[in-house]
Amino acid sequence: MSKTLFIKTWGCQMNVYDSARMADVLAPLGYRPVEEPDGADMVILNTCHIREKAAEKVFSELGRLRILKDEKATAGNGRMILAVAGCVAQAEGEEIVARAPQVDMVFGPQTYHTLPEMVAKATRATGSVLNTDFPAESKFDHLPEESNSQGVSAFLAVQEGCDKFCTFCVVPYTRGAEFSRPAAQIVLEAKRLVAGGTREISLLGQNVNAWHGDGPDGSTWGLGRLIRELAEIDGLARIRYTTSHPRDMDDDLIRAHAEVPQLMPYLHLPVQAGSDRILAAMNRKHTADDYRRVVDRLRAVNPDLALSGDFIVGFPGESDADFAATLKLVSDVGYAQAYTFKYSPRPGTPAALEGSQVAEEVKEARLAALQQLIAAQQAAFNHGFVGRTIPVLFDRVGRRDGQLHGRSPWMQSVHAVADERLLGRIVEVRIDEARPNSLGGTVVTGEHISTPQGMRRVPSLEASA
Ligand code: SAH
Ligand code: SF4
Ligand code: F3S
């Protein structure tokens, strides 16, 4: 019998990937994804623990879901199995079980391949099933093949976990130790995605460029080598990877940015702060100049490369001079876009115990100043595209009538009036308009198909609607 499954996902792209794989694990049990929790046979909250209020959000969501669960039971429509997954489950599993008796299953990011057993147990038992171990086996060896097409643009997890232990961050605790999937397994999954219609793959990892694996020749491969291998897959037009750590940008990966045409000229490379004193306190193990040098090396091989980053303001002990160094670094590097956060003390992390916490108003003011600088850089970056014709991969229907949404090589959202037949294709679009967070344009001509030999023009396909 068909059952309905609603998954709500918070947090990073890895969580989005995990949610899709949970649906794959549950598909053979008869669960089919739906868009609303009302009346669903199973609801999974896939949670994020990275900044404060994460747990509170989960508990308030659980309050709402308890009502839906009761309504379903009272109406005689069976039981709603309620689950909390992801990084809050990993960090606070026992508290969830204690505080929210309506929850049937609590499991962390490394155990969702055992969902069939957990569901069987939860169906029999009345208490909650808690599964937040870090199992010795890799979930990737037990996950079924993707049951649904993952769309034009898909995520593929290649690396997980983190051994870097930045002093502000919960990820090493919630995701566990660094782990790289075997190259052959990744290539197989990529081929299946492409066979299912995917044209762009984003390789995911908490430290994706720390990925390493054994190649068929017995040598150890790094991410650059893996990307070259994936570029051989016919029909895979675009490759991206995220998130990188500056310390793991090796020469081969940098060279791949010059040599692999499918590797997109856009890189998310977080630095967090511009002051060496703060970087040391964060345990980043690199200086601001180390980061500048990595950026210089990347731009030397590919001047077209656009950068994105993550920044934390108000880390404990951050002075005005430290913050000025962050602004200086942002000015020096020049970002196409970036994510900015106020430092948020996380339970169990060393920085949370520091006595020198920065006042909330100071964090607010620094965040506003940094955001203003980055917004100006982003606006200038986007404005530079007006009048240019660029290849856009259309990935979904746009919000306005007759429009499609696509992505530029530099990750910008591009909207253009276009026939739905162009979904999944890379099309030349002339950019007419730059908005703060997106571009607007007109489809001009034919299609670009990228092959391992590079980009080549194919005969025109009637485009404009
Ligand atoms: N290595 C992963 C980290 C994921 S967390 C990655 O780089 O994607 C994503 C970002 O959240 C980090 O880069 C950092 O800027 C921010 N972040 C992590 N912990 C934080 C905290 N305690 N307070 C504020 N921001 C934080
Ligand atoms: Fe967190 Fe640092 Fe690891 Fe990124 S590198 S996941 S910020 S500990
Ligand atoms: Fe959040 Fe966990 Fe990702 S804490 S950012 S969902 S790794």
Side-chain angles (χ1 to χ4, degrees):
M1 197 195 72
S2 165
K3 288 171 272 188
T4 54
L5 165 69
F6 175 77
I7 306 183
K8 177 163 177 153
T9 310
W10 286 275
C12 60
Q13 290 147 330
M14 187 72 84
N15 255 17
V16 176
Y17 174 84
D18 288 341
S19 291
R21 301 314 312 269
M22 288 176 207
D24 292 336
V25 178
L26 290 165
L29 274 60
Y31 286 95
R32 126 190 103 73
V34 290
E35 300 292 312
E36 293 294 333
D38 306 55
D41 296 302
M42 189 185 301
V43 174
I44 301 177
L45 303 181
N46 194 10
T47 61
C48 171
H49 199 50
I50 201 80
R51 280 170 291 275
E52 67 187 332
K53 300 207 176 82
E56 291 94 293
K57 268 189 241 161
V58 175
F59 282 111
S60 77
E61 191 73 26
L62 284 174
R64 279 195 290 279
L65 286 168
R66 164 185 234 148
I67 300 171
L68 294 184
K69 183 174 171 138
D70 290 347
E71 279 173 4
K72 184 174 165 77
T74 319
N77 290 334
R79 174 168 167 206
M80 175 187 284
I81 297 181
L82 196 50
V84 182
C87 291
V88 176
Q90 187 64 46
E92 300 194 6
E94 277 165 24
E95 198 190 336
I96 295 169
V97 169
R99 267 180 64 183
Q102 71 272 35
V103 174
D104 302 291
M105 304 187 293
V106 179
F107 52 94
Q110 307 308 347
T111 49
Y112 62 79
H113 59 291
T114 66
L115 262 167
E117 289 97 294
M118 288 191 267
V119 173
K121 253 196 229 164
T123 317
R124 282 194 308 267
T126 38
S128 334
V129 177
L130 176 66
N131 193 355
T132 50
D133 299 337
F134 286 111
E137 89 252 17
S138 152
K139 67 178 174 238
F140 295 108
D141 295 338
H142 299 274
L143 291 173
E145 290 186 10
E146 307 70 33
S147 56
N148 305 304
S149 159
Q150 300 297 309
V152 170
S153 182
F155 295 134
L156 200 174
V158 302
Q159 183 280 341
E160 206 177 340
C162 182
D163 298 338
K164 298 259 187 320
F165 290 93
C166 300
T167 54
F168 52 80
C169 183
V170 294
V171 171
Y173 312 97
T174 62
R175 290 274 165 176
E178 264 180 33
F179 170 78
S180 294
R181 288 178 74 184
Q185 203 180 62
I186 295 165
V187 173
L188 259 181
E189 189 168 325
K191 285 184 174 160
R192 282 200 304 265
L193 287 170
V194 173
T198 293
R199 303 293 316 277
E200 172 177 88
I201 292 182
S202 297
L203 306 175
L204 297 184
Q206 266 88 37
N207 274 289
V208 71
N209 54 347
W211 181 88
H212 59 275
D214 294 332
D217 52 356
S219 70
T220 300
W221 285 11
L223 189 67
R225 182 66 189 83
L226 179 68
I227 286 170
R228 289 168 211 269
E229 191 71 15
L230 294 171
E232 298 292 324
I233 299 176
D234 231 7
L236 179 57
R238 291 181 167 188
I239 301 171
R240 304 179 184 275
Y241 59 96
T242 197
T243 294
S244 299
H245 193 287
R247 276 175 63 93
D248 294 321
M249 275 329 282
D250 66 26
D251 287 336
D252 186 51
L253 182 55
I254 289 176
R255 267 199 313 275
H257 278 279
E259 296 167 1
V260 182
Q262 293 92 332
L263 185 57
M264 290 294 101
Y266 171 91
L267 182 62
H268 182 61
L269 192 63
V271 60
Q272 314 298 352
S275 146
D276 288 344
R277 208 173 63 84
I278 295 299
L279 287 169
M282 287 177 163
N283 192 32
R284 292 288 295 178
K285 301 198 181 82
H286 62 77
T287 64
D289 279 346
D290 292 337
Y291 181 82
R292 285 184 176 89
R293 273 192 292 273
V294 172
V295 170
D296 288 346
R297 280 160 61 212
L298 281 158
R299 286 189 166 144
V301 303
N302 188 343
D304 231 14
L305 189 91
L307 281 167
S308 151
D310 288 342
F311 294 90
I312 295 178
V313 300
F315 185 82
E318 187 187 65
S319 66
D320 287 339
D322 292 321
F323 177 62
T326 297
L327 293 177
K328 172 80 168 58
L329 181 63
V330 171
S331 302
D332 291 348
V333 170
Y335 288 89
Q337 67 119 42
Y339 301 93
T340 51
F341 309 103
K342 285 187 287 187
Y343 169 69
S344 166
R346 307 306 293 130
T349 60
L353 304 172
E354 288 294 319
S356 49
Q357 300 292 330
V358 172
E360 188 58 27
E361 315 83 76
V362 176
K363 287 186 194 171
E364 289 281 355
R366 287 180 187 166
L367 185 71
L370 180 58
Q371 283 179 341
Q372 196 181 6
L373 175 59
I374 288 168
Q377 292 188 342
Q378 183 171 356
F381 180 75
N382 285 346
H383 200 78
F385 284 86
V386 175
R388 279 179 68 183
T389 297
I390 57 172
V392 172
L393 172 59
F394 285 122
D395 57 359
R396 59 185 144 92
V397 174
R399 239 174 280 148
R400 292 216 203 110
D401 238 14
Q403 270 194 348
L404 294 185
H405 169 276
R407 293 265 177 202
S408 78
W410 302 273
M411 270 308 264
Q412 294 137 307
S413 278
V414 182
H415 299 272
V417 172
D419 194 286
E420 281 192 29
R421 283 176 308 160
L422 292 179
L423 280 173
R425 292 170 189 261
I426 296 174
V427 176
E428 295 281 276
V429 174
R430 191 191 63 239
I431 302 305
D432 306 319
E433 192 190 351
R435 303 181 205 104
N437 295 309
S438 66
L439 303 174
T442 312
V443 172
V444 284
T445 167
E447 188 185 358
H448 263 112
I449 287 195
S450 59
T451 66
Q453 286 75 45
M455 304 288 262
R456 89 185 137 79
R457 176 63 55 89
V458 297
S460 166
L461 196 137
E462 209 33 69
S464 20

